[in-house]
Amino acid sequence: MRQMTWITTPHMVGWACSDCGWAFKPSGPPRGSDLDEMKQNFERQREKEYASHVCAEYPKAKNGREASKGPR
Ligand SMILES: [Zn+2]
């Protein structure tokens, strides 16, 4: 089962999917009148985007599976 995991790579630090190459990118600064509210809004947005992403659409780069180009 897929999980949201905190990752740190040379390219990014943040929340990503354990099963694919999806990573959470906030669309803007967190909204809210105080830190608690900002945190809640941030987490809600994160959960929503995570829940709605489709793993098949975010192939993992380090899967080692190259896109085979068949004769066309
Ligand atoms: Zn995924």
Side-chain angles (χ1 to χ4, degrees), residues 2-3 16-23 50 53-58:
R2 71 183 191 181
Q3 288 178 357
C17 179
S18 63
D19 265 22
C20 73
W22 178 90
Y50 176 73
H53 91 274
V54 177
C55 286
E57 289 175 9
Y58 298 86

mmCIF file of all heavy atoms in Angstrom, residues 2-3 16-23 50 53-58, ligand 1:
data_model
loop_
_atom_site.group_PDB
_atom_site.id
_atom_site.type_symbol
_atom_site.label_atom_id
_atom_site.label_comp_id
_atom_site.label_asym_id
_atom_site.label_seq_id
_atom_site.Cartn_x
_atom_site.Cartn_y
_atom_site.Cartn_z
ATOM 1 N N ARG A 2 0.457 2.225 -0.769
ATOM 2 C CA ARG A 2 1.277 3.425 -0.877
ATOM 3 C C ARG A 2 1.170 4.287 0.375
ATOM 4 O O ARG A 2 0.166 4.277 1.074
ATOM 5 C CB ARG A 2 0.876 4.227 -2.109
ATOM 6 C CG ARG A 2 -0.467 4.908 -1.991
ATOM 7 C CD ARG A 2 -0.813 5.610 -3.298
ATOM 8 N NE ARG A 2 -1.977 6.490 -3.115
ATOM 9 C CZ ARG A 2 -2.510 7.204 -4.090
ATOM 10 N NH1 ARG A 2 -2.005 7.140 -5.297
ATOM 11 N NH2 ARG A 2 -3.545 7.974 -3.867
ATOM 12 N N GLN A 3 2.227 5.016 0.603
ATOM 13 C CA GLN A 3 2.284 5.887 1.766
ATOM 14 C C GLN A 3 2.874 7.220 1.357
ATOM 15 O O GLN A 3 3.657 7.289 0.417
ATOM 16 C CB GLN A 3 3.217 5.314 2.832
ATOM 17 C CG GLN A 3 2.696 4.113 3.555
ATOM 18 C CD GLN A 3 3.741 3.610 4.552
ATOM 19 O OE1 GLN A 3 4.830 4.140 4.626
ATOM 20 N NE2 GLN A 3 3.387 2.593 5.291
ATOM 21 N N ALA A 16 6.480 12.932 -0.407
ATOM 22 C CA ALA A 16 6.387 12.231 -1.679
ATOM 23 C C ALA A 16 5.704 10.893 -1.476
ATOM 24 O O ALA A 16 5.540 10.418 -0.353
ATOM 25 C CB ALA A 16 7.780 12.041 -2.261
ATOM 26 N N CYS A 17 5.334 10.287 -2.586
ATOM 27 C CA CYS A 17 4.664 8.995 -2.539
ATOM 28 C C CYS A 17 5.708 7.883 -2.511
ATOM 29 O O CYS A 17 6.714 7.956 -3.201
ATOM 30 C CB CYS A 17 3.756 8.851 -3.754
ATOM 31 S SG CYS A 17 2.900 7.277 -3.822
ATOM 32 N N SER A 18 5.427 6.868 -1.709
ATOM 33 C CA SER A 18 6.384 5.761 -1.600
ATOM 34 C C SER A 18 6.334 4.864 -2.830
ATOM 35 O O SER A 18 7.241 4.082 -3.074
ATOM 36 C CB SER A 18 6.079 4.939 -0.355
ATOM 37 O OG SER A 18 4.793 4.368 -0.462
ATOM 38 N N ASP A 19 5.291 4.976 -3.602
ATOM 39 C CA ASP A 19 5.081 4.043 -4.711
ATOM 40 C C ASP A 19 5.401 4.628 -6.078
ATOM 41 O O ASP A 19 5.452 3.908 -7.063
ATOM 42 C CB ASP A 19 3.623 3.581 -4.716
ATOM 43 C CG ASP A 19 3.465 2.270 -3.975
ATOM 44 O OD1 ASP A 19 4.347 1.982 -3.150
ATOM 45 O OD2 ASP A 19 2.487 1.557 -4.221
ATOM 46 N N CYS A 20 5.556 5.931 -6.162
ATOM 47 C CA CYS A 20 5.775 6.528 -7.474
ATOM 48 C C CYS A 20 6.581 7.809 -7.328
ATOM 49 O O CYS A 20 7.126 8.090 -6.268
ATOM 50 C CB CYS A 20 4.439 6.797 -8.181
ATOM 51 S SG CYS A 20 3.533 8.181 -7.494
ATOM 52 N N GLY A 21 6.670 8.565 -8.378
ATOM 53 C CA GLY A 21 7.494 9.762 -8.357
ATOM 54 C C GLY A 21 6.760 11.022 -7.945
ATOM 55 O O GLY A 21 7.292 12.112 -8.052
ATOM 56 N N TRP A 22 5.528 10.857 -7.462
ATOM 57 C CA TRP A 22 4.748 12.022 -7.046
ATOM 58 C C TRP A 22 5.382 12.704 -5.845
ATOM 59 O O TRP A 22 5.879 12.045 -4.925
ATOM 60 C CB TRP A 22 3.325 11.581 -6.700
ATOM 61 C CG TRP A 22 2.449 12.698 -6.218
ATOM 62 C CD1 TRP A 22 1.664 13.503 -6.979
ATOM 63 C CD2 TRP A 22 2.246 13.114 -4.851
ATOM 64 N NE1 TRP A 22 0.997 14.415 -6.167
ATOM 65 C CE2 TRP A 22 1.344 14.186 -4.866
ATOM 66 C CE3 TRP A 22 2.763 12.690 -3.623
ATOM 67 C CZ2 TRP A 22 0.933 14.832 -3.707
ATOM 68 C CZ3 TRP A 22 2.364 13.339 -2.468
ATOM 69 C CH2 TRP A 22 1.457 14.399 -2.513
ATOM 70 N N ALA A 23 5.378 14.030 -5.864
ATOM 71 C CA ALA A 23 5.840 14.791 -4.708
ATOM 72 C C ALA A 23 4.929 15.988 -4.530
ATOM 73 O O ALA A 23 4.441 16.560 -5.512
ATOM 74 C CB ALA A 23 7.277 15.233 -4.904
ATOM 75 N N TYR A 50 -2.388 14.304 -2.414
ATOM 76 C CA TYR A 50 -1.868 12.940 -2.341
ATOM 77 C C TYR A 50 -2.962 11.943 -2.687
ATOM 78 O O TYR A 50 -2.756 11.006 -3.460
ATOM 79 C CB TYR A 50 -1.320 12.663 -0.946
ATOM 80 C CG TYR A 50 -0.867 11.236 -0.787
ATOM 81 C CD1 TYR A 50 0.300 10.804 -1.399
ATOM 82 C CD2 TYR A 50 -1.613 10.328 -0.050
ATOM 83 C CE1 TYR A 50 0.714 9.494 -1.282
ATOM 84 C CE2 TYR A 50 -1.207 9.019 0.085
ATOM 85 C CZ TYR A 50 -0.044 8.609 -0.536
ATOM 86 O OH TYR A 50 0.351 7.305 -0.419
ATOM 87 N N HIS A 53 -3.803 11.883 -6.522
ATOM 88 C CA HIS A 53 -2.821 11.585 -7.570
ATOM 89 C C HIS A 53 -2.917 10.112 -7.973
ATOM 90 O O HIS A 53 -3.320 9.262 -7.189
ATOM 91 C CB HIS A 53 -1.411 11.965 -7.122
ATOM 92 C CG HIS A 53 -0.650 10.875 -6.432
ATOM 93 N ND1 HIS A 53 -0.738 10.631 -5.085
ATOM 94 C CD2 HIS A 53 0.204 9.935 -6.912
ATOM 95 C CE1 HIS A 53 0.040 9.609 -4.771
ATOM 96 N NE2 HIS A 53 0.627 9.154 -5.853
ATOM 97 N N VAL A 54 -2.555 9.867 -9.223
ATOM 98 C CA VAL A 54 -2.578 8.500 -9.749
ATOM 99 C C VAL A 54 -1.137 8.051 -9.959
ATOM 100 O O VAL A 54 -0.399 8.647 -10.735
ATOM 101 C CB VAL A 54 -3.351 8.445 -11.083
ATOM 102 C CG1 VAL A 54 -3.320 7.033 -11.661
ATOM 103 C CG2 VAL A 54 -4.781 8.915 -10.881
ATOM 104 N N CYS A 55 -0.761 6.994 -9.229
ATOM 105 C CA CYS A 55 0.633 6.549 -9.247
ATOM 106 C C CYS A 55 1.126 6.271 -10.666
ATOM 107 O O CYS A 55 2.269 6.570 -11.003
ATOM 108 C CB CYS A 55 0.796 5.299 -8.392
ATOM 109 S SG CYS A 55 0.731 5.657 -6.621
ATOM 110 N N ALA A 56 0.260 5.717 -11.487
ATOM 111 C CA ALA A 56 0.677 5.335 -12.841
ATOM 112 C C ALA A 56 1.107 6.551 -13.658
ATOM 113 O O ALA A 56 1.842 6.428 -14.638
ATOM 114 C CB ALA A 56 -0.463 4.619 -13.537
ATOM 115 N N GLU A 57 0.647 7.735 -13.233
ATOM 116 C CA GLU A 57 0.980 8.940 -13.991
ATOM 117 C C GLU A 57 2.288 9.569 -13.545
ATOM 118 O O GLU A 57 2.748 10.538 -14.125
ATOM 119 C CB GLU A 57 -0.157 9.955 -13.865
ATOM 120 C CG GLU A 57 -1.385 9.528 -14.635
ATOM 121 C CD GLU A 57 -2.547 10.481 -14.406
ATOM 122 O OE1 GLU A 57 -2.350 11.549 -13.798
ATOM 123 O OE2 GLU A 57 -3.656 10.129 -14.828
ATOM 124 N N TYR A 58 2.866 9.028 -12.481
ATOM 125 C CA TYR A 58 4.118 9.578 -11.967
ATOM 126 C C TYR A 58 5.161 8.479 -11.845
ATOM 127 O O TYR A 58 5.485 8.050 -10.740
ATOM 128 C CB TYR A 58 3.908 10.236 -10.605
ATOM 129 C CG TYR A 58 2.964 11.408 -10.632
ATOM 130 C CD1 TYR A 58 1.593 11.218 -10.522
ATOM 131 C CD2 TYR A 58 3.460 12.700 -10.762
ATOM 132 C CE1 TYR A 58 0.718 12.289 -10.546
ATOM 133 C CE2 TYR A 58 2.592 13.774 -10.782
ATOM 134 C CZ TYR A 58 1.221 13.563 -10.680
ATOM 135 O OH TYR A 58 0.371 14.623 -10.705
HETATM 136 ZN ZN ZN B 1 1.901 7.518 -5.974
#
